[in-house]
Amino acid sequence: MSTYEAELVVARRESVADDVVALTLRHPRGAELPRWEPGAHIDLVLGPGLERQYSLCGDPAERREWRIAVLREPDGRGGSAQVHDRLAEGTAVRVRGPRNHFALAPAPRYRFVAGGIGITPILPMLAAAEAAGAQWTLLYGGRTRRSMAFTAELERFGQRVTLAPQDETGLLNLTELDTVPDGTLVYCCGPGPLLDAVEAACPADRLRVERFRQKPQDPHGEQEFEVVLERSGRTVTVVPGVSVLDTVRAAGVEVLFSCTEGTCGTCETDVLDGTPDHRDSVLSDEEREAGGTMLICVSRCHGKRLVLDL
């Protein structure tokens, strides 16, 4: 995980769709920014306890600027409103990252599916797939054509891109995802109902998704368990209804965290012993099976004891 953190400046702000602004961030002294690959995101530290993750959607080869796009969410938790209302051109904002739990794996063919602001991590993937000589298509939906960001940039890809505004075409047609050819990877980002539909339609071994919101969890049946903090020499008890993260912080052990919903990966922690009960939306099936790390903001324990590298 990158430890880069700096105050960057909003060098350019532009409206790219209804209620969507794109921000180009640069170092105030023009310094190069850390390298990143398609699928990466950064944290914007917008105030005390107000940190939000946004996918990088610019050109990874451009080392002196990062671009993000932010949808204003009237029913959100305040992050998007801060971006829209306070981050004007010339404004400084503290940034951490980048991190990437949605990396583009090599494949001869891709099917990309984006819904709404979910186009942001997909956009640089298209250029990467193109540069690699892979075959690919994009199915991109939104409420209306005016609500869909970056459609002008997508025009250069021609018929490989299908735009499907819901008010014109209805819900996205996902039927072909259950018969994707061998060697094809499906990448999807968007609202929860779209991801649920894609997961139902596509074989799991061919699918990669990124969620902006935590999957609904059943809080019933949570059990108390013990967590040994190996480096700190402490042992704490995690009770039902309280997260490992909150329990650890209450014991005075500081850890990096951000979303508290299991979607960003900031709090990923090495597991030295015990079996995690994974409840995040970040780790792959292989990573969960290995059990070597867990996201302590949402995940719990299968059993009575975990040992963490904290």
Side-chain angles (χ1 to χ4, degrees):
M1 182 174 64
S2 172
T3 57
Y4 180 83
E5 183 170 349
E7 280 215 343
L8 303 184
V9 173
V10 179
R12 185 166 64 251
R13 172 183 167 130
E14 55 187 325
S15 175
V16 292
D18 287 349
D19 292 325
V20 180
V21 294
L23 304 181
T24 299
L25 306 173
R26 294 177 182 154
H27 194 280
R29 295 190 297 276
E32 287 192 345
L33 302 175
R35 296 182 185 277
W36 61 279
E37 295 182 351
H41 70 262
I42 57 174
D43 300 340
L44 296 192
V45 184
L46 300 167
L50 189 61
E51 302 176 18
R52 296 293 183 265
Q53 296 72 47
Y54 299 106
S55 298
L56 291 167
C57 57
D59 180 0
E62 176 50 73
R63 294 294 308 282
R64 298 188 186 276
E65 64 183 38
W66 284 341
R67 183 176 70 166
I68 60 173
V70 181
L71 168 69
R72 181 189 285 274
E73 299 185 77
D75 299 323
R77 297 178 297 158
S80 68
Q82 287 271 16
V83 171
H84 277 254
D85 296 340
R86 298 185 60 181
L87 294 189
E89 290 185 358
T91 305
V93 60
R94 181 152 291 274
V95 177
R96 283 202 302 256
R99 284 187 299 276
N100 198 339
H101 289 279
F102 192 46
L104 186 67
R109 289 175 297 277
Y110 300 98
R111 297 288 185 269
F112 297 106
V113 182
I117 199 63
I119 190 61
T120 50
I122 299 295
L123 193 61
M125 291 184 179
L126 306 182
E130 183 87 351
Q135 300 175 21
W136 62 268
T137 61
L138 166 65
L139 178 61
Y140 177 21
R143 297 187 313 278
T144 66
R145 195 172 293 269
R146 288 176 55 87
S147 74
M148 298 166 65
F150 304 121
T151 53
E153 293 187 25
L154 293 170
E155 288 178 358
R156 68 187 180 98
F157 295 120
Q159 294 185 348
R160 281 172 294 178
V161 174
T162 300
L163 301 181
Q166 186 174 345
D167 64 339
E168 299 176 21
T169 64
L171 296 176
L172 293 182
N173 183 357
L174 305 174
T175 54
E176 65 106 17
L177 292 182
D178 62 357
T179 57
V180 291
D182 290 342
T184 303
L185 291 181
V186 178
Y187 277 78
C188 179
C189 185
L194 171 62
L195 298 184
D196 293 342
V198 170
E199 287 179 339
C202 182
D205 61 341
R206 300 178 187 177
L207 179 60
R208 309 287 187 272
V209 302
E210 182 171 60
R211 288 183 177 269
F212 295 138
R213 293 286 182 270
Q214 181 186 13
K215 277 187 173 182
Q217 301 290 332
D218 182 2
H220 300 294
E222 288 187 353
Q223 301 296 319
E224 179 178 294
F225 58 96
E226 182 180 83
V227 176
V228 178
L229 310 177
E230 184 75 12
R231 281 189 283 120
S232 303
R234 304 282 303 276
T235 298
V236 298
T237 299
V238 180
V239 299
V242 179
S243 69
V244 176
L245 172 65
D246 287 344
T247 304
V248 168
R249 295 184 68 237
V253 178
E254 287 302 317
V255 294
L256 282 178
F257 70 97
S258 185
C259 73
T260 69
E261 293 187 335
T263 60
C264 76
T266 305
C267 69
E268 185 175 355
T269 301
D270 288 340
V271 178
L272 305 179
D273 192 30
T275 304
D277 174 9
H278 295 292
R279 302 185 178 192
D280 64 277
S281 302
V282 170
L283 299 179
S284 67
D285 290 341
E286 292 78 9
E287 290 169 325
R288 294 182 180 198
E289 182 67 24
T293 66
M294 65 183 290
L295 271 63
I296 62 173
C297 66
V298 292
S299 296
R300 301 184 70 80
C301 177
H302 286 303
K304 294 295 185 179
R305 182 174 180 270
L306 284 172
V307 182
L308 301 181
D309 186 23
L310 289 173

